[in-house]
Amino acid sequence: MHFFSTGVSLALMLCLYGVQASETDNLPVSEAPLQPIGFFGTVTGDVELGFLLTSGNTDSFAIRANSELVHDLQHFRNRYQLQGRVQKNNVTNAASGEQQQVTTASRYGFTGQSNYKLVSGYESVFGRGAFLHDKFGAFREQASLAVGYGNRLYEQLTDYIDLETGPGFAHQQTAAGEDRSGIIWFLAANMNYALYDTSSFRQTLEGSVSLDGENTTLLSRSSITATIADRLSMRLNFVVKYNSRPEGTLRSTDTETSASLVYTF
């Protein structure tokens, strides 16, 4: 009787294991079971590249590049972002009649942030640094440091909603070379949502509110990414940047619409 019971138990265990393995193999990619974070964590990211070339009555070219890297560890989540844009136009010199190449856009920036996860895993404290150089923007340079509290309100597979806030310090240089510095309050909201198996929507909102009457900045970045093949995707971006106190006759709001190719790793 003992051997019979043992045999039945082993048979049931093998059947259950087979059913579980079959169900796991049949799961869609978006519903595959999550893997535990190892000692070195997980690294994900993408590289985005856009290119524009025109000829004829107007000769110009522009290159736009962005990259994001996320390093997720057991207790830390680190995020790094790089961005750059260069545009040059060929214009005719009114005096000589010769073509001259003139730079009409030149921008590069870096953002680094580290979140230390608290006991719950969803709440965190963060430190953040950002730098942006924009030769033809409302401000030539903008840099900031901030620390604060973050909360991942929602997380399901690749979908998430993050809220972050905290005090910081900002330094800005106007187009005329005037330096401005002061205390800020940083606010941010980030959302990623999978529309379908092959497309996703991402929304980023960031604000640096001046607490001493200096310039306040707001940034909104919306993007839709659609997979073309394997790791290659197409991305449509719409960016709005607002400065409350631009210099002289410079406009307070800049917008940018772009389409680019993305390689995900």
Side-chain angles (χ1 to χ4, degrees):
M1 186 69 178
H2 174 73
F3 292 106
F4 177 76
S5 301
T6 303
V8 171
S9 300
L10 288 173
L12 288 174
M13 290 176 64
L14 289 173
C15 290
L16 290 173
Y17 177 80
V19 171
Q20 183 181 12
S22 176
E23 290 180 350
T24 302
D25 292 340
N26 293 329
L27 281 175
V29 175
S30 60
E31 297 182 7
L34 297 178
Q35 299 299 321
I37 297 177
F39 179 78
F40 295 102
T42 59
V43 178
T44 58
D46 58 45
V47 177
E48 178 181 346
L49 183 63
F51 184 77
L52 173 67
L53 177 64
T54 64
S55 61
N57 293 315
T58 301
D59 295 331
S60 66
F61 77 91
I63 298 176
R64 178 183 179 274
N66 288 301
S67 181
E68 181 179 53
L69 178 70
V70 178
H71 187 197
D72 207 345
L73 298 161
Q74 183 177 359
H75 299 292
F76 287 92
R77 182 171 58 251
N78 304 317
R79 185 184 300 269
Y80 312 97
Q81 293 174 312
L82 291 170
Q83 61 165 300
R85 180 191 171 198
V86 176
Q87 179 171 331
K88 295 190 176 184
N89 291 31
N90 288 334
V91 298
T92 303
N93 189 304
S96 63
E98 297 180 352
Q99 290 280 328
Q100 294 180 337
Q101 192 173 76
V102 178
T103 301
T104 56
S106 178
R107 183 182 69 222
Y108 58 87
F110 169 79
T111 301
Q113 179 170 321
S114 182
N115 288 60
Y116 177 74
K117 304 173 187 177
L118 301 178
V119 177
S120 66
Y122 291 97
E123 296 178 285
S124 63
V125 291
F126 72 88
R128 179 183 189 273
F131 174 81
L132 177 66
H133 176 88
D134 192 346
K135 187 176 181 179
F136 300 97
F139 286 83
R140 184 72 52 82
E141 290 184 357
Q142 293 180 307
S144 64
L145 294 172
V147 295
Y149 166 80
N151 194 333
R152 176 153 287 190
L153 299 179
Y154 173 79
E155 183 177 27
Q156 183 69 35
L157 298 178
T158 59
D159 299 346
Y160 61 83
I161 298 177
D162 288 337
L163 294 180
E164 296 167 340
T165 185
F169 178 82
H171 173 77
Q172 300 174 335
Q173 185 183 84
T174 66
E178 178 186 352
D179 292 325
R180 300 178 183 177
S181 300
I183 305 299
I184 62 169
W185 192 268
F186 175 76
L187 301 163
N190 301 287
M191 181 186 74
N192 192 81
Y193 179 71
L195 300 173
Y196 301 100
D197 288 342
T198 59
S199 62
S200 63
F201 172 76
R202 180 179 295 183
Q203 176 65 50
T204 298
L205 296 172
E206 295 178 359
S208 296
V209 181
S210 175
L211 300 182
D212 48 13
E214 295 295 339
N215 183 62
T216 291
T217 63
L218 299 174
L219 175 69
S220 171
R221 183 184 297 108
S222 308
S223 65
I224 294 178
T225 305
T227 302
I228 299 175
D230 196 17
R231 297 182 180 273
L232 189 64
S233 306
M234 176 71 74
R235 178 172 293 166
L236 179 65
N237 296 282
F238 181 65
V239 180
V240 179
K241 185 172 183 180
Y242 171 80
N243 288 281
S244 65
R245 296 184 59 186
E247 189 178 43
T249 58
L250 294 174
R251 297 182 179 181
S252 59
T253 303
D254 293 314
T255 64
E256 180 181 303
T257 304
S258 63
S260 52
L261 290 175
V262 180
Y263 179 79
T264 304
F265 55 89

